[in-house]
Amino acid sequence: MLIDSHCHLDFEDFAEDRSAILERAQAAGVQEILIAAVVQKHWPRVQALAAENTGIWAAAGVHPNEPEAETPSMDNLLAALSAEKVVAVGETGLDYFRSEGDLRWQQERFARHIAASKATGKPVIVHTREAAADTLGLLRSEDARASGGVIHCFTENWEFARAVLDMGFYISLSGIVTFKKSLDLQAVARKLPADRLLVETDSPYLAPTPLRGKRNEPAYVRHVAQFLAELRAESFADLAQQTTDNFHHLFTRTVAV
């Protein structure tokens, strides 16, 4: 069994064939999926997909690249996180690649999400891009270790990985690790402790080799897992089982199926 620990199945990219996508995921052995929200107005549709489908879970949060005006109130976050199948906060974090100017609003938004994570005991799903130092700084200053979480779609170096592992965080690898030029990331992937590793698609983005350029979907997480098993000299069955166990250990409100 495999789990796609991060995707955006609620996006309009999937509107016409979502049922077929779920069937293909099942056929590929992907029996559980976590849908991460990116904007507050889409929380209801993410939650609805989780509520209507066995093996689908939801997260509530606002992506760092969304405008400052989209920052949710703590009350709204806590209300969304109270839903039964909402098992995580996110995605949230810092992204200095696409945003410019004074980005303290991103930092304040990230801190609010961490506070909601600690208030609910639900782990935080962290996006970070060209903001490694500030991401680590906020995780430490806001005591994110208290509720834990995952750095999703990991692309940072070993020093960053070791720092978040020391905080009790998990690391999730996407199709990026399969790309030919991702040699530095592959070196990190070899070192990651087996009990802290997750796999994801981040679909519809970042389709893994050999499907680059296509719309990504949860079934393709199998390619990520197969690549990692070979890279780490592990059996595919062992890596699939370990990443599944890790998912349930981190997202404790999920139920193994």
Side-chain angles (χ1 to χ4, degrees), residues 121-249:
K122 297 184 177 183
V124 62
I125 299 171
V126 179
H127 168 109
T128 181
R129 189 171 185 187
E130 294 194 3
D134 284 353
T135 297
L136 289 176
L138 272 164
L139 289 173
R140 289 170 175 146
S141 65
E142 301 300 320
D143 191 28
R145 164 195 302 273
S147 53
V150 57
I151 309 299
H152 105 91
C153 197
F154 188 89
T155 56
E156 300 295 336
N157 59 25
W158 175 244
E159 287 70 28
F160 185 100
R162 187 169 55 187
V164 295
L165 290 168
D166 287 346
M167 284 186 254
F169 269 63
Y170 289 68
I171 288 175
S172 182
L173 295 171
S174 70
I176 293 175
V177 76
T178 72
F179 299 171
K180 289 182 179 179
K181 294 184 178 180
S182 296
L183 298 179
D184 291 343
L185 179 58
Q186 290 164 14
V188 173
R190 289 188 186 96
K191 294 182 180 181
L192 293 175
D195 63 353
R196 298 290 190 83
L197 179 62
L198 298 177
V199 288
E200 66 171 88
T201 59
D202 202 16
S203 53
Y205 312 115
L206 304 173
T209 303
L211 300 164
R212 287 196 71 179
K214 296 185 177 182
R215 181 193 65 175
N216 204 0
E217 61 179 75
Y220 298 166
V221 78
R222 190 176 186 91
H223 292 281
V224 179
Q226 288 172 329
F227 180 89
L228 284 172
E230 183 175 348
L231 180 72
R232 292 165 58 88
E234 301 172 7
S235 75
F236 172 75
D238 287 348
L239 186 137
Q241 185 62 59
Q242 182 69 68
T243 54
T244 294
D245 292 345
N246 294 346
F247 180 89
H248 291 299
H249 189 265

Side-chain angles (χ1 to χ4, degrees), residues 2 6 16 25 29 65 68 72 84 94 101 105-106 115 119 135 151 153 163 169 205 231 237 244 249:
L2 284 166
H6 190 109
E16 294 184 1
N65 285 137
E68 181 178 2
E84 182 179 1
L94 302 175
W105 62 268
Q106 272 196 15
T135 297
I151 309 299
C153 197
F169 269 63
Y205 312 115
L231 180 72
T244 294
H249 189 265

